[in-house]
Amino acid sequence: MSSETNGAAQAQATSQADDLLGAGRTAAVIIASTSAARGEAADTTGPILVDWLRTRGYETPEAIVVRDGEPVGQALRALLIDTSEAERPRIIVTSGGTGLAPDDRTPEFTAELLERQSPGLIYAMWRKGLETTTSAVMSRGVAGVTGRSFVINFPGSKGGVKDGVTVIDELLEHIQTSVEDTTDHGPRD
C-alpha cells in the first residue's frame, strides 16, 4: 500500500471516529463485586461495558473493580465530586450491588449523588430482562444526571448487562444530547 493510500485510509478512520457519539468524551465503568475485587472471581461484566462504550467512541479506561458497599460510594464520589466538572466522565455505568444482599448498596450511593433521576430507563431494563428471567425485577438500580454526567446502575450478571446495553444503546444519543442541552426541542404541537 502506498503512503498516499495509507494516509487516506487513516484520515477516513479518524473522520469516522470523530463521527462516533462519544467522540471527545470520557466514560467510566465501576464494577461492584467483592469476589472480583479480592481476585477470587473474574470480572465478567466490566469488559462488556468498557467495550460497548469504546465502540460508541467514548474514551473509557479499564473498569474500576471495588468491593460491594462503601467502596462503590467512594468510587462514585471520586468521579462525581472529587473530579472537576469539566473533567468528569459524561457516562458512568456501574454493574453489581443492585440486589437484596446487605452490602448491595450501589443504588443508595448513586441516588444520593444524582440531581435528577430517570426511573423509566430502569423500568425499560426490567421489561427487557423479564423476557428471559423473572429475577430481573429484583435489580434495584437507579439512573439519572449530575451536572453533565449521566449515571446508570446495571445488574451484576452478564445477562443483565447485555439487556441493559440493548436498552440504553438505543437511547444513548438522546440521553447525551439532553444532558448536554444540545437538543433542538423545536415547537411542540
Side-chain angles (χ1 to χ4, degrees):
M1 183 182 286
S2 74
S3 62
E4 247 178 56
T5 306
N6 190 28
Q10 287 176 341
Q12 182 179 1
T14 300
S15 174
Q16 289 172 343
D18 290 344
D19 291 340
L20 291 173
L21 176 64
R25 296 170 178 89
T26 61
V29 174
I30 300 171
I31 302 302
S33 171
T34 299
S35 59
R38 289 182 181 156
E40 299 167 355
D43 166 22
T44 59
T45 60
I48 296 168
L49 292 167
V50 168
D51 183 59
W52 166 55
L53 292 165
R54 286 177 179 169
T55 60
R56 298 293 266 142
Y58 293 92
E59 184 181 317
T60 311
E62 295 302 316
I64 301 163
V65 180
V66 296
R67 294 184 336 271
D68 286 292
E70 176 58 32
V72 176
Q74 291 169 352
L76 284 166
R77 287 188 296 274
L79 293 172
L80 291 169
I81 295 174
D82 300 343
T83 303
S84 71
E85 187 165 351
E87 298 295 317
R88 288 180 195 154
R90 294 298 177 90
I91 306 290
I92 300 173
V93 180
T94 71
S95 173
T98 63
L100 300 175
D103 60 354
D104 285 342
R105 300 194 38 229
T106 300
E108 287 77 14
F109 290 118
T110 304
E112 71 184 26
L113 296 170
L114 296 178
E115 294 168 357
R116 296 178 313 283
Q117 289 194 31
S118 185
L121 297 171
I122 301 301
Y123 297 150
M125 288 180 10
W126 287 340
R127 188 179 68 226
K128 179 67 177 163
L130 281 170
E131 293 174 7
T132 55
T133 180
T134 57
S135 64
V137 295
M138 292 177 63
S139 179
R140 301 177 309 106
V142 297
V145 176
T146 294
R148 295 187 329 160
S149 297
F150 170 71
V151 185
I152 188 163
N153 303 146
F154 282 21
S157 68
K158 283 174 70 173
V161 163
K162 289 177 181 178
D163 289 343
V165 167
T166 299
V167 170
I168 301 304
D169 191 63
E170 292 181 26
L171 302 168
L172 194 56
E173 183 171 6
H174 189 69
I175 290 167
Q176 180 175 288
T177 56
S178 295
V179 171
E180 293 177 355
D181 198 22
T182 56
T183 58
D184 178 14
H185 297 288
R188 299 197 186 238
D189 297 327

